[in-house]
Amino acid sequence: MKIRKHGLAEAVCNAGGRAGGVHPYCELLCILEGEAELEWSGVAYPANGTALFVILPNTPHQLVQRSDTLRYWYAEFHAEEHDPLPAVDVVYQWNGQQGGIDWDGDPYKALRAAFQAVCMLMTAESSLPWDLFAEALASDLRKLLMLLTGAISTRTKPAPSYSSSETVVSETMRFLESMFPQPLTLRTIADNTHYNPSYLVRLFRKQTGKTPFGYLNELRLNAASEYLLHSRMSVQQISQACGFQSIHYFSRTFKQRFGAAPSEWRRDRRG
């Protein structure tokens, strides 16, 4: 595990404030105090008092403050092969549970103690050599990931029942959300579900009102808008990072969606 960026933050008198973006790293986001929502891949996940979110690489996310005071820590990291990163379906399940966890009950007490230890370590960062701090932080994050996976596996609450078509569409959406920067074809998307491409398109449109590529295009444009707002990347670099094979197609579809070309849209909002 390689630590990319981390921080311990307290936002006061900032209800409605936002923080986040898109980056090619895993991230742990721990709410310590206050109310907030994590807007992640088009879904809002509420947090009240305590929450621990896992954010997958290349997925657009925004933390929206809902109370006057909000305390949280975050850590972005590059996960290596031996790191205990939960499976994608486990991450979605876990993030969806954050509004209703009893952190005083089993098996969550150990998990809470682990993320409080990360908070204490970040508080003491200035008194430690960087190499020692980074090694200790990586160790604590690995422990959190292992405990998180264990907490999910021991949870006894039954999963909601979905029809087979809903499951297929949900799996397809998750696949697109995690793979949107990659060059994808309808065959590639269909192969992931083991369904005929034309049948998958009909099923997806019936459930969502759009095609798989329509949804994929939304993901890419949303990610591009975050890059434009929060990075210094060129329009060409953003186009490539979001999976567009042509900067001309990117510029045209971005203007159709947001009403201005990417460079103009960035200039108007960043001043």
Side-chain angles (χ1 to χ4, degrees), residues 176-192:
L176 295 173
E177 288 160 2
S178 62
M179 299 295 291
F180 79 92
Q182 307 301 320
L184 297 173
T185 65
L186 180 57
R187 171 58 65 182
T188 302
I189 299 169
D191 285 348
N192 182 68

Side-chain angles (χ1 to χ4, degrees), residues 93-106:
Q93 183 182 358
W94 173 258
N95 286 348
Q97 293 176 358
Q98 292 310 294
I101 288 181
D102 177 11
W103 292 97
D104 292 320
D106 293 328

Side-chain angles (χ1 to χ4, degrees), residues 57-259:
N58 300 309
T59 52
H61 56 279
Q62 289 274 312
L63 180 64
V64 185
Q65 185 169 334
R66 296 303 186 193
S67 57
D68 288 339
T69 300
L70 182 67
R71 292 182 64 244
Y72 63 94
W73 63 254
Y74 67 93
E76 299 172 13
F77 59 92
H78 173 70
E80 298 176 330
E81 186 175 351
H82 60 278
D83 290 324
L85 189 67
V88 172
D89 59 333
V90 173
V91 171
Y92 277 88
Q93 183 182 358
W94 173 258
N95 286 348
Q97 293 176 358
Q98 292 310 294
I101 288 181
D102 177 11
W103 292 97
D104 292 320
D106 293 328
Y108 304 110
K109 288 187 289 186
L111 191 58
R112 182 178 63 180
F115 64 65
Q116 288 175 341
V118 172
C119 180
M120 293 177 63
L121 179 62
M122 288 188 178
T123 302
E125 177 182 1
S126 61
S127 63
L128 298 171
W130 165 251
D131 290 347
L132 178 60
F133 171 80
E135 182 179 351
L137 180 57
S139 177
D140 282 354
L141 294 180
R142 291 190 190 98
K143 182 189 299 183
L144 264 178
L145 292 171
M146 287 188 292
L147 290 171
L148 186 153
T149 303
I152 283 286
S153 65
T154 57
R155 188 173 175 90
T156 57
K157 182 178 179 180
S161 176
Y162 296 103
S163 70
S164 59
S165 61
E166 289 174 326
T167 300
V168 170
V169 171
S170 177
E171 290 177 352
T172 303
M173 294 175 75
R174 292 179 181 180
F175 176 75
L176 295 173
E177 288 160 2
S178 62
M179 299 295 291
F180 79 92
Q182 307 301 320
L184 297 173
T185 65
L186 180 57
R187 171 58 65 182
T188 302
I189 299 169
D191 285 348
N192 182 68
T193 63
H194 308 291
Y195 275 77
N196 176 274
S198 59
Y199 177 74
L200 177 62
V201 170
R202 291 198 301 272
L203 198 62
F204 199 96
R205 189 193 296 274
K206 182 179 179 181
Q207 292 287 332
T208 68
K210 62 193 73 173
T211 67
F213 271 104
Y215 183 67
L216 176 62
N217 216 39
E218 285 187 5
L219 293 173
R220 286 172 168 171
L221 289 172
N222 288 339
S225 69
E226 295 295 332
Y227 277 127
L228 288 166
L229 281 176
H230 302 294
S231 81
R232 297 183 178 180
M233 296 167 62
S234 68
V235 172
Q236 175 74 49
Q237 290 171 325
I238 292 172
S239 173
Q240 294 173 346
C242 294
F244 291 97
Q245 301 304 301
S246 161
I247 189 172
H248 301 293
Y249 177 70
F250 166 55
S251 297
R252 185 171 70 252
T253 55
F254 190 94
K255 186 172 183 178
Q256 289 172 348
R257 169 77 181 279
F258 294 101

